[in-house]
Amino acid sequence: MKKKISILGSTGSIGKQALEVVDCLQDKFEIVGLAAGSNLEEFKKQIRKYNPEFVSVKTQELAQELKKDIKNKEILWGNDGLVEIAKNTQNDIILSAVTGLNGLFPVLAAVDKGIDIALANKETLVAAGNIVMNKAKEKNVKILPVDSEHSAIFQCLASRDFSNAKKLIITGSGGPFRNKSLEEIQKATVEETLAHPNWSMGDKITVDSATLMNKGLEVIEARWLFGIDYKNIEVVIHPQSIVHSAVEFLDGSVIAQMGLPSMHIPIQYALTYPETFEGIKTGTMIFAQIGKLEFEKPDLEKFPCLNLAYEAGIKGGTYPTVLNASNEEAVYAFLRGEIKLTEIYSIVYKALEQHNCIQNPGLEDIIETDKKTRIFAQNLI
Ligand code: NDP
Ligand code: MG
């Protein structure tokens, strides 16, 4: 029987690659719903090709615009549209691949209905990890990681009893500024920042990769996905992006997951889990051609955002929500050319410094903290 799937963020980098995975495994999947933001041209092509029963876009105006061409479907819109698509009980699984905290409510709605989640949208776990994971446990829902590092760890853990894991080792390429000086990073343009050496991704995550905030968000994501203490999560820079992450076990054995850098692999792993199929041809990894694999410590002076994320994670409560919200606002300001790349750190630092933390926050606390932090950050821009 085909797995029924809805994709939130189908016009984005992850969304489009997920549809390529579906194209390759046509007898395995059926598309039930698709949700996009504002790229109507791409979305129209997708709707015609996959004929999903449910579609949604970012705003009411965009929905009206789309309706002119897609006459035979009701067009949903906004956060309610995302939630509507996510909670449809026809879904066996949803892929959450929108950017930012927009992903939170649809994920919670799907979990509530017992629908498994393939999760690319890490901001959801950073801001509200406790709430999402507790609800998933209560509803017996699988949260399957799409982020390549977490997919790697998930695969490494599959070989042994979870409780025997001692340390998670998260790798990162180091981004475009790994070999640049702090002075050069301070002058970085948007164009230079978006030129990631190994991965082609959406703009927000590409900026996060350049500041290493992405690794910080991934540390927090790993803490919630795998329930492991921050002191047992290590980040290591690995410029070749071949080892996607590793797990050290109690007996000293270290298991790593490797592959050529392609998001098709972790996307497919999450969507087909627990089965494995021949998928998109990503090329063969030939060790002798790769030659050498290098590893180094992250430079926290040049990339202080990583430390901020660790600190926010360790302090817990609503601090990670503040980290996420202020970072999102600062990244979009950088992309609009309003601040320097290095000011992202200052804005997030100030937002965390002024915050009165709420320990064990409920959903309302998270939403309120997110809103207040965005206003605070916007006033600094
Ligand atoms: P993109 O910016 O490429 O895509 C984002 C998608 O979300 C687009 O389809 C966009 O629509 C849609 N979208 C944005 N805002 C809204 C909204 N308010 N309502 C509905 N849809 C919306 O991002 P990526 O694909 O790169 O990343 C998506 C998520 O996956 C992020 O959380 C990122 O951190 C994570 N991730 C990405 C990786 C990658 O390789 N790209 C790797 C690991 C994690 P539109 O374009 O039509 O406006
Ligand atoms: Mg990643």
Short mmCIF file of all heavy atoms in Angstrom, two decimals, residues 310-341:
data_model
loop_
_atom_site.label_atom_id
_atom_site.label_comp_id
_atom_site.label_asym_id
_atom_site.label_seq_id
_atom_site.Cartn_x
_atom_site.Cartn_y
_atom_site.Cartn_z
N TYR A 310 24.64 26.76 22.96
CA TYR A 310 24.89 25.82 24.06
C TYR A 310 24.39 26.42 25.38
O TYR A 310 23.70 25.75 26.16
CB TYR A 310 26.39 25.54 24.20
CG TYR A 310 26.85 24.25 23.54
CD1 TYR A 310 27.57 24.29 22.35
CD2 TYR A 310 26.59 23.01 24.11
CE1 TYR A 310 28.01 23.11 21.74
CE2 TYR A 310 27.02 21.83 23.51
CZ TYR A 310 27.73 21.89 22.33
OH TYR A 310 28.16 20.72 21.74
N GLU A 311 24.76 27.69 25.62
CA GLU A 311 24.37 28.33 26.89
C GLU A 311 22.85 28.39 27.04
O GLU A 311 22.31 28.09 28.09
CB GLU A 311 24.96 29.75 26.96
CG GLU A 311 26.43 29.73 27.35
CD GLU A 311 27.08 31.10 27.15
OE1 GLU A 311 26.34 32.12 27.09
OE2 GLU A 311 28.31 31.15 27.04
N ALA A 312 22.18 28.79 25.94
CA ALA A 312 20.72 28.88 26.00
C ALA A 312 20.11 27.50 26.24
O ALA A 312 19.17 27.35 27.04
CB ALA A 312 20.18 29.46 24.69
N GLY A 313 20.67 26.48 25.59
CA GLY A 313 20.17 25.12 25.76
C GLY A 313 20.36 24.65 27.19
O GLY A 313 19.44 24.09 27.80
N ILE A 314 21.53 24.88 27.73
CA ILE A 314 21.84 24.39 29.09
C ILE A 314 20.97 25.12 30.13
O ILE A 314 20.42 24.49 31.04
CB ILE A 314 23.35 24.56 29.39
CG1 ILE A 314 24.15 23.57 28.53
CG2 ILE A 314 23.65 24.35 30.88
CD1 ILE A 314 25.63 23.84 28.44
N LYS A 315 20.80 26.43 29.95
CA LYS A 315 19.94 27.17 30.90
C LYS A 315 18.49 26.71 30.76
O LYS A 315 17.72 26.74 31.72
CB LYS A 315 20.03 28.67 30.61
CG LYS A 315 21.31 29.33 31.11
CD LYS A 315 21.16 30.81 30.87
CE LYS A 315 22.40 31.60 31.17
NZ LYS A 315 22.34 32.93 30.56
N GLY A 316 18.11 26.32 29.56
CA GLY A 316 16.79 25.71 29.34
C GLY A 316 15.63 26.67 29.44
O GLY A 316 15.78 27.87 29.18
N GLY A 317 14.47 26.16 29.84
CA GLY A 317 13.25 26.97 29.92
C GLY A 317 12.96 27.65 28.59
O GLY A 317 13.04 27.01 27.54
N THR A 318 12.68 28.96 28.66
CA THR A 318 12.36 29.69 27.43
C THR A 318 13.60 30.29 26.74
O THR A 318 13.46 30.96 25.71
CB THR A 318 11.34 30.82 27.72
OG1 THR A 318 11.68 31.41 28.99
CG2 THR A 318 9.93 30.31 27.75
N TYR A 319 14.79 30.05 27.28
CA TYR A 319 15.98 30.62 26.63
C TYR A 319 16.15 30.15 25.16
O TYR A 319 16.42 30.98 24.28
CB TYR A 319 17.25 30.31 27.43
CG TYR A 319 17.49 31.31 28.56
CD1 TYR A 319 17.47 30.90 29.89
CD2 TYR A 319 17.73 32.65 28.28
CE1 TYR A 319 17.68 31.80 30.92
CE2 TYR A 319 17.94 33.57 29.30
CZ TYR A 319 17.91 33.14 30.61
OH TYR A 319 18.10 34.05 31.62
N PRO A 320 16.00 28.85 24.88
CA PRO A 320 16.14 28.46 23.46
C PRO A 320 15.09 29.11 22.55
O PRO A 320 15.36 29.37 21.37
CB PRO A 320 15.97 26.94 23.49
CG PRO A 320 16.32 26.55 24.89
CD PRO A 320 15.85 27.66 25.75
N THR A 321 13.89 29.39 23.10
CA THR A 321 12.86 30.08 22.31
C THR A 321 13.34 31.47 21.93
O THR A 321 13.15 31.95 20.80
CB THR A 321 11.54 30.19 23.14
OG1 THR A 321 11.27 28.92 23.71
CG2 THR A 321 10.39 30.67 22.31
N VAL A 322 13.99 32.13 22.90
CA VAL A 322 14.53 33.48 22.67
C VAL A 322 15.67 33.42 21.65
O VAL A 322 15.76 34.24 20.74
CB VAL A 322 15.03 34.08 24.01
CG1 VAL A 322 15.76 35.38 23.78
CG2 VAL A 322 13.85 34.27 24.96
N LEU A 323 16.52 32.43 21.82
CA LEU A 323 17.64 32.25 20.88
C LEU A 323 17.08 32.13 19.46
O LEU A 323 17.54 32.81 18.53
CB LEU A 323 18.40 30.97 21.25
CG LEU A 323 19.55 30.58 20.34
CD1 LEU A 323 20.87 31.15 20.86
CD2 LEU A 323 19.69 29.07 20.20
N ASN A 324 16.08 31.27 19.30
CA ASN A 324 15.53 31.02 17.97
C ASN A 324 14.86 32.26 17.38
O ASN A 324 15.12 32.63 16.24
CB ASN A 324 14.53 29.87 18.04
CG ASN A 324 13.95 29.57 16.69
OD1 ASN A 324 14.66 29.16 15.78
ND2 ASN A 324 12.67 29.82 16.52
N ALA A 325 14.01 32.92 18.18
CA ALA A 325 13.24 34.05 17.66
C ALA A 325 14.17 35.21 17.31
O ALA A 325 14.04 35.83 16.24
CB ALA A 325 12.20 34.49 18.68
N SER A 326 15.12 35.54 18.18
CA SER A 326 16.01 36.67 17.91
C SER A 326 16.92 36.35 16.73
O SER A 326 17.21 37.21 15.89
CB SER A 326 16.83 37.04 19.15
OG SER A 326 17.52 35.91 19.65
N ASN A 327 17.33 35.10 16.63
CA ASN A 327 18.18 34.71 15.50
C ASN A 327 17.40 34.84 14.18
O ASN A 327 17.91 35.40 13.21
CB ASN A 327 18.68 33.28 15.69
CG ASN A 327 19.56 32.85 14.54
OD1 ASN A 327 20.59 33.46 14.26
ND2 ASN A 327 19.17 31.80 13.84
N GLU A 328 16.16 34.35 14.18
CA GLU A 328 15.36 34.46 12.94
C GLU A 328 15.22 35.91 12.50
O GLU A 328 15.45 36.24 11.34
CB GLU A 328 13.94 33.89 13.17
CG GLU A 328 13.80 32.43 12.82
CD GLU A 328 12.35 31.96 12.88
OE1 GLU A 328 11.43 32.67 12.44
OE2 GLU A 328 12.13 30.85 13.42
N GLU A 329 14.89 36.79 13.45
CA GLU A 329 14.71 38.20 13.11
C GLU A 329 16.02 38.79 12.59
O GLU A 329 16.04 39.54 11.62
CB GLU A 329 14.20 39.00 14.32
CG GLU A 329 12.78 38.64 14.74
CD GLU A 329 11.76 38.85 13.62
OE1 GLU A 329 11.86 39.84 12.89
OE2 GLU A 329 10.85 37.99 13.49
N ALA A 330 17.12 38.46 13.26
CA ALA A 330 18.42 39.03 12.88
C ALA A 330 18.86 38.49 11.51
O ALA A 330 19.38 39.26 10.68
CB ALA A 330 19.46 38.69 13.95
N VAL A 331 18.64 37.22 11.26
CA VAL A 331 19.04 36.64 9.97
C VAL A 331 18.28 37.33 8.82
O VAL A 331 18.88 37.71 7.81
CB VAL A 331 18.80 35.11 9.93
CG1 VAL A 331 18.92 34.55 8.52
CG2 VAL A 331 19.78 34.40 10.86
N TYR A 332 16.96 37.53 9.00
CA TYR A 332 16.21 38.17 7.91
C TYR A 332 16.65 39.63 7.73
O TYR A 332 16.68 40.13 6.61
CB TYR A 332 14.69 38.02 8.12
CG TYR A 332 14.26 36.59 7.85
CD1 TYR A 332 13.75 35.77 8.86
CD2 TYR A 332 14.42 36.03 6.59
CE1 TYR A 332 13.40 34.44 8.60
CE2 TYR A 332 14.07 34.71 6.32
CZ TYR A 332 13.57 33.92 7.33
OH TYR A 332 13.23 32.61 7.07
N ALA A 333 17.03 40.30 8.84
CA ALA A 333 17.54 41.67 8.73
C ALA A 333 18.85 41.67 7.95
O ALA A 333 19.10 42.55 7.11
CB ALA A 333 17.73 42.27 10.12
N PHE A 334 19.70 40.69 8.21
CA PHE A 334 20.96 40.59 7.46
C PHE A 334 20.67 40.36 5.98
O PHE A 334 21.26 41.01 5.11
CB PHE A 334 21.83 39.44 8.03
CG PHE A 334 23.00 39.13 7.15
CD1 PHE A 334 24.08 40.01 7.06
CD2 PHE A 334 23.02 37.97 6.37
CE1 PHE A 334 25.16 39.74 6.22
CE2 PHE A 334 24.09 37.69 5.53
CZ PHE A 334 25.17 38.58 5.45
N LEU A 335 19.72 39.46 5.70
CA LEU A 335 19.40 39.16 4.29
C LEU A 335 18.82 40.39 3.58
O LEU A 335 19.00 40.56 2.38
CB LEU A 335 18.41 37.99 4.21
CG LEU A 335 19.00 36.60 4.49
CD1 LEU A 335 17.89 35.56 4.68
CD2 LEU A 335 19.94 36.16 3.34
N ARG A 336 18.15 41.28 4.34
CA ARG A 336 17.61 42.51 3.74
C ARG A 336 18.68 43.59 3.65
O ARG A 336 18.41 44.70 3.21
CB ARG A 336 16.44 43.04 4.59
CG ARG A 336 15.18 42.17 4.59
CD ARG A 336 13.98 42.90 5.20
NE ARG A 336 14.24 43.33 6.57
CZ ARG A 336 13.93 42.64 7.66
NH1 ARG A 336 13.34 41.47 7.56
NH2 ARG A 336 14.22 43.10 8.87
N GLY A 337 19.88 43.28 4.12
CA GLY A 337 20.99 44.23 4.04
C GLY A 337 20.96 45.28 5.15
O GLY A 337 21.60 46.33 5.04
N GLU A 338 20.22 45.01 6.23
CA GLU A 338 20.07 46.04 7.29
C GLU A 338 21.12 45.94 8.39
O GLU A 338 21.33 46.91 9.12
CB GLU A 338 18.66 45.92 7.90
CG GLU A 338 17.58 46.33 6.91
CD GLU A 338 16.17 45.96 7.37
OE1 GLU A 338 15.98 45.56 8.53
OE2 GLU A 338 15.27 46.05 6.53
N ILE A 339 21.72 44.79 8.57
CA ILE A 339 22.76 44.65 9.60
C ILE A 339 23.93 43.84 9.03
O ILE A 339 23.80 43.18 8.00
CB ILE A 339 22.23 43.94 10.88
CG1 ILE A 339 21.73 42.51 10.55
CG2 ILE A 339 21.15 44.74 11.58
CD1 ILE A 339 21.49 41.64 11.78
N LYS A 340 25.07 43.89 9.77
CA LYS A 340 26.22 43.08 9.36
C LYS A 340 26.03 41.65 9.87
O LYS A 340 25.31 41.41 10.86
CB LYS A 340 27.50 43.66 9.98
CG LYS A 340 27.89 45.00 9.38
CD LYS A 340 29.34 45.33 9.69
CE LYS A 340 29.51 45.73 11.15
NZ LYS A 340 30.81 46.29 11.46
N LEU A 341 26.74 40.73 9.26
CA LEU A 341 26.61 39.32 9.67
C LEU A 341 26.93 39.15 11.15
O LEU A 341 26.23 38.44 11.88
CB LEU A 341 27.57 38.45 8.82
CG LEU A 341 27.48 36.95 9.08
CD1 LEU A 341 26.16 36.38 8.59
CD2 LEU A 341 28.63 36.20 8.40
#
